[in-house]
């Protein structure tokens, strides 16, 4: 790594150093940073980085972490009703993995100088977002399969390029997350396949779930390129590698043959192969709904945030107890580790 | 419901059901925590314990018959779990007290089964390693809550007291388990007493068994919340008879 380490940047406000000298140093750091990004090198926590780059990463990684933990709710909704012990075990393992992904991602965000507590406070106050998809309700068991196939599928399409993101800790977290997500996606697909090939009622349940989750899954890639405020800068910094619309197209191209293999249809009359483009054309997305959900007016926004706040509030006395215990037993190592 | 007779010659069905139902029902209760734990690390830990227990349940129930038929198609009166494991989660202290009492029992039980050559020895040898973690987790939280803040101390004491009355049942004889229950009970009392002492908690003084509760769960006599729990657990499976998932 050739980028300048953060420890050498403490010139701002140093007595005896002129503003011009500070500006020159700043420009030199920026040049080194830009060169590192251009050369596809990884930026690491101690490297100098533009404040806007740092802020943008904190925003994105926090939103990603929040999505993992809010995303536990729609699936956890079915743990106690899973229809076989095998499916129940798979679902518990998946929800557990999501908590684990949240932990990796908060840790990655913390390397940028924030803290998990601070980020959670922002989530609870509604000042940081999570993925719009988790504001939709899981109404039947088939929704669990549809989430695995479509929602995790969309997440993977988004996240695989992030394994090459310019910020090292985020890229490394994504490698681990993507491995587990791919596993979940296959399990979701397999659960849906069992329903599709099952009784008439099960098949109908699967079709209904796909009908409800298809469009929200396409919305997971974010607004169209001409309305995406962060894309250009994120691509210049190599945080993002592809535009929203590129990734959305890639996802549609993968999902259509999978739907055919499942024996299920996708709820889009305009969906057809375009020989000329070598891609599937698809119908218009309801962006009014997208912005509405993003603004907090989706079917489950209040419920998701309330449950998260409630869990946090209900758990306050537990966290206080752990802190008080650790305080009392500081120095007695065996016990403090308890 | 009936259980297949073919295996009854080698596996004591009553014992497989008692142990399997304990694991199944406690796993279910822990699964109810998903998305509501006090810290993210506990989301992982509670789910992990739930999964371990569900794994044990699946092996045990499969020894007695078809795991899904047994889990989803029996009614309340046919379940053989101890009443302790069906107790609602309550606050985090109740969940931890229930886990402390049960893990301590289960580790002693599986420790004994693992050293024998009975039909459960293989399962017990594997499970006892998982249970050691569960017990460790429960003991450490008992210490943190008991010796944490005045509020956590009070909550933990209340939980230990409330669940105490369900602990005697764990040591009632079960058909097909040839164990020294009295010795296990005394080892359990020693172990739990040591942890509660260290956690600055008072060992509860109430009765641990009574005519009303002696081996009740093991005979299919359960507490009121259990039926509602089963209604939720079984609803979907029962709504689609004969379907595969």
């Amino acid at each position: 790594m050739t980028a300048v380490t953060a420890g050498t940047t403490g010139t701002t406000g140093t007595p005896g150093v002129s503003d011009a000298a500070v500006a020159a140093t700043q420009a030199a750091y920026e040049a080194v940073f830009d060169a590192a990004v251009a050369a596809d090198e990884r930026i690491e926590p101690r490297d100098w980085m533009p404040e806007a780059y740092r802020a943008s990463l904190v925003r994105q990684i926090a939103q990603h972490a929040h999505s993992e933990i809010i995303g536990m709710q729609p699936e956890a909704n079915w743990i106690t009703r899973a229809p076989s012990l095998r499916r129940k075990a798979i679902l518990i393992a998946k929800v557990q993995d999501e908590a684990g992904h949240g932990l990796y991602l908060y840790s990655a965000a913390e390397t940028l100088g924030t803290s998990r507590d601070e980020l959670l406070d922002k989530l609870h106050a509604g000042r940081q977002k999570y993925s719009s998809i988790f504001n939709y309700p899981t109404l039947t068991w088939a929704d669990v399969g549809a989430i695995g196939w479509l929602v995790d599928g969309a997440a993977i399409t988004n996240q695989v390029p992030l394994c090459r993101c310019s910020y090292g800790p985020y890229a490394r977290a994504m490698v681990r997350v993507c491995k587990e997500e791919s596993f979940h996606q296959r399990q979701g697909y397999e659960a849906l396949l069992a329903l599709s090939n099952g009784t008439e009622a099960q098949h109908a349940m699967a079709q209904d779930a796909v009908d409800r989750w298809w469009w929200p899954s396409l919305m997971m890639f974010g607004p169209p390129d001409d309305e995406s405020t962060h894309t250009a800068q994120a691509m210049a910094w190599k945080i993002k590698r592809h535009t929203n619309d590129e990734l959305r197209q890639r996802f549609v191209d993968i999902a259509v043959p999978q739907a055919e293999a499942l024996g299920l249809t996708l709820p889009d009359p305009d969906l057809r192969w375009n020989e000329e483009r070598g891609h599937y054309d698809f119908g218009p997305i309801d962006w009014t709904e997208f912005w509405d959900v993003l603004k907090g007016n989706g079917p489950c926004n209040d419920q998701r945030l309330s449950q998260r706040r409630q869990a946090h509030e209900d758990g306050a006395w537990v966290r206080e107890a752990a802190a008080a215990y650790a305080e009392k037993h500081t120095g007695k190592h065996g016990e403090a580790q308890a | 419901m009936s259980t297949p007779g073919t295996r009854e010659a080698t596996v004591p069905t009553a014992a497989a059901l008692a142990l399997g139902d304990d694991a199944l029902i406690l796993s279910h209760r822990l699964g109810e925590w998903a998305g509501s734990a006090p810290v993210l690390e506990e989301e992982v830990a509670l789910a992990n314990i739930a999964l371990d227990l569900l794994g044990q349940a699946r092996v045990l129930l499969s020894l007695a018959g078809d795991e899904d038929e047994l889990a989803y198609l029996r009614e309340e009166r046919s379940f053989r779990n101890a009443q302790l494991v069906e107790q609602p989660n309550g606050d985090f202290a109740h969940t931890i007290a229930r886990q402390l009492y049960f893990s301590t029992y289960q580790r002693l039980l599986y420790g004994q089964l693992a050293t024998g050559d009975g039909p459960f020895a293989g399962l017990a040898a594997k499970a006892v390693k998982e249970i050691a973690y569960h017990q460790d987790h429960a003991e450490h939280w008992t210490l943190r809550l008991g010796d944490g803040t005045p509020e956590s101390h009070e909550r933990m004491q209340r939980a230990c007291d409330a669940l105490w009355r369900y602990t005697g049942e764990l040591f009632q004889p079960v058909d097909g388990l040839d164990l020294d229950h009295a010795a296990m009970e005394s080892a359990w009392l020693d172990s739990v007493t040591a942890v509660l002492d260290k956690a600055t908690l008072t060992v509860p003084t109430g009765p641990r068994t009574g005519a009303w509760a002696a081996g009740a769960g093991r005979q299919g006599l359960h507490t009121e919340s259990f039926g509602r729990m089963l209604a939720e657990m079984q609803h979907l499976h029962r709504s689609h008879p004969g379907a595969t998932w």
Side-chain angles (χ1 to χ4, degrees):
Chain A
M1 177 78 242
T2 54
V4 186
T5 57
T8 61
T9 63
T11 50
T12 312
T14 308
V17 177
S18 73
D19 287 354
V22 169
T25 314
Q26 190 76 5
Y29 289 143
E30 263 189 76
V32 172
F33 172 86
D34 290 345
V37 169
D40 269 336
E41 286 176 28
R42 289 277 163 83
I43 307 299
E44 297 297 337
R46 295 159 67 88
D47 295 333
W48 183 90
M49 62 188 85
E51 273 317 302
Y53 175 83
R54 185 184 299 276
S56 177
L57 275 168
V58 168
R59 182 186 58 77
Q60 184 172 338
I61 301 174
Q63 177 165 334
H64 198 158
H66 298 333
S67 300
E68 295 284 354
I69 60 167
I70 295 284
M72 293 168 72
Q73 290 182 32
E75 293 177 287
N77 182 36
W78 280 92
I79 286 178
T80 55
R81 293 176 289 169
S84 76
L85 297 187
R86 175 168 165 266
R87 294 288 174 203
K88 186 171 181 168
I90 290 171
L91 186 54
I92 295 174
K94 180 179 181 188
V95 174
Q96 180 188 16
D97 281 348
E98 282 158 3
H101 296 171
L103 284 168
Y104 305 157
L105 287 160
Y106 286 120
S107 298
E110 286 183 336
T111 65
L112 291 159
T114 180
S115 72
R116 195 208 301 184
D117 287 347
E118 193 181 336
L119 298 178
L120 281 174
D121 285 347
K122 286 182 180 159
L123 169 67
H124 297 153
R127 289 195 288 128
Q128 280 179 342
K129 294 192 187 311
Y130 54 88
S131 176
S132 61
I133 193 80
F134 301 119
N135 292 313
Y136 290 87
T138 47
L139 301 178
T140 73
W141 168 253
D143 290 28
V144 172
I147 288 179
W149 173 44
L150 293 173
V151 175
D152 292 347
I156 293 163
T157 307
N158 257 328
Q159 290 169 10
V160 165
L162 289 173
C163 297
R164 296 186 294 124
C165 155
S166 60
Y167 188 60
Y170 192 27
R172 288 188 290 274
M174 279 303 103
V175 172
R176 295 182 64 176
V177 169
C178 283
K179 278 185 196 158
E180 292 176 352
E181 294 285 8
S182 309
F183 188 56
H184 298 159
Q185 199 218 358
R186 280 202 299 278
Q187 288 173 324
Y189 182 88
E190 197 254 328
L192 219 46
L193 188 64
L195 293 175
S196 182
N197 292 337
T199 65
E200 216 171 292
Q202 285 177 304
H203 182 90
M205 191 192 279
Q207 183 61 59
D208 169 63
V210 169
D211 289 347
R212 282 181 290 107
W213 288 92
W214 172 250
W215 291 109
S217 299
L218 293 192
M219 295 177 195
M220 285 175 70
F221 296 93
D225 291 348
D226 52 13
E227 286 178 53
S228 176
T229 45
H230 302 295
T231 294
Q233 182 62 73
M235 286 182 74
W237 280 328
K238 293 191 181 169
I239 296 174
K240 269 177 105 154
R241 298 279 180 161
H242 308 280
T243 71
N244 296 349
D245 287 335
E246 284 167 8
L247 291 170
R248 186 163 18 240
Q249 180 70 60
R250 183 179 297 182
F251 174 71
V252 171
D253 290 346
I254 294 169
V256 173
Q258 289 177 340
E260 284 165 7
L262 279 169
L264 298 170
T265 59
L266 296 170
D268 179 358
D270 297 330
L271 189 66
R272 63 180 54 86
W273 178 253
N274 182 326
E275 192 69 49
E276 216 168 287
R277 294 201 307 126
H279 291 291
Y280 282 93
D281 289 337
F282 54 96
I285 289 172
D286 183 351
W287 292 113
T288 313
E289 174 179 326
F290 173 78
W291 293 114
D292 212 32
V293 173
L294 218 62
K295 270 183 247 151
N297 302 320
C300 297
N301 299 58
D302 286 344
Q303 179 188 328
R304 300 289 184 241
L305 213 46
S306 299
Q307 183 179 331
R308 183 87 267 296
R309 287 194 195 112
Q310 191 70 47
H312 194 72
E313 281 165 27
D314 289 350
W317 69 271
V318 176
R319 296 189 299 275
E320 284 158 16
Y325 181 85
E327 178 87 5
K328 279 185 211 177
H329 295 272
T330 306
K332 295 190 220 166
H333 278 294
E335 289 175 15
Q337 301 289 315
Chain B
M1 72 159 290
S2 66
T3 52
T6 48
R7 286 170 173 161
E8 281 173 27
T10 49
V11 177
T13 301
L17 288 181
L19 304 187
D21 288 350
D22 278 355
L24 177 73
I25 301 306
L26 185 53
S27 166
H28 185 96
R29 284 298 191 204
L30 291 172
E32 292 173 354
W33 270 104
S36 302
V39 282
L40 215 38
E41 285 82 354
E42 282 307 296
E43 294 284 3
V44 178
L46 296 173
N48 198 47
I49 297 169
L51 261 184
D52 286 345
L53 290 166
L54 185 52
Q56 295 165 17
R58 295 181 64 191
V59 173
L60 286 157
L61 294 181
S62 297
L63 290 173
D66 177 274
E67 61 176 37
D68 285 338
E69 276 183 37
L70 288 168
Y72 292 101
L73 298 177
R74 275 182 299 163
E75 292 185 3
E76 191 178 339
R77 293 281 282 108
S78 302
F79 274 82
R80 293 288 176 262
N81 57 284
Q83 290 182 350
L84 175 68
V85 297
E86 76 202 33
Q87 295 310 306
N89 288 335
D91 66 5
F92 190 68
H94 276 77
T95 291
I96 291 300
R98 189 182 62 199
Q99 206 61 42
L100 175 73
Y101 290 165
F102 184 75
S103 299
T104 306
Y105 151 76
Q106 206 190 17
R107 192 172 177 187
L108 290 164
L109 171 78
Y110 282 24
Q112 282 204 34
L113 291 174
T115 59
D117 56 359
F120 303 117
L123 162 87
K126 177 175 179 286
V128 82
K129 292 174 200 150
E130 297 168 349
I131 298 158
Y133 281 110
H134 306 171
Q135 188 181 4
D136 203 45
H137 174 261
E139 287 188 0
H140 285 141
W141 271 113
T142 303
L143 295 180
R144 288 190 197 104
L145 299 182
D147 194 15
T149 63
E151 180 184 4
S152 71
H153 178 90
E154 194 198 322
R155 283 178 184 259
M156 193 63 210
Q157 185 66 58
R158 205 183 307 150
C160 288
D161 293 348
L163 293 169
W164 190 246
R165 51 156 60 182
Y166 300 106
T167 58
E169 186 187 356
L170 300 172
F171 306 99
Q172 297 295 319
V174 173
D175 280 349
L177 286 185
D178 186 20
L179 298 169
D180 185 346
H181 289 277
M184 253 173 42
E185 182 159 22
S186 132
W188 183 90
L189 269 172
D190 288 348
S191 177
V192 167
T193 300
V195 176
L196 296 187
D197 280 348
K198 196 173 171 199
T200 72
L201 294 160
T202 307
V203 178
T205 50
R208 297 183 46 247
T209 50
W212 59 274
R218 297 274 186 243
Q219 291 159 29
L221 294 167
H222 294 278
T223 50
E224 284 188 345
S225 68
F226 185 58
R228 198 165 280 108
M229 194 207 94
L230 281 189
E232 182 173 343
M233 183 173 106
Q234 298 181 336
H235 166 260
L236 177 59
H237 186 97
R238 283 179 181 271
S239 301
H240 296 264
T244 51
W245 300 93

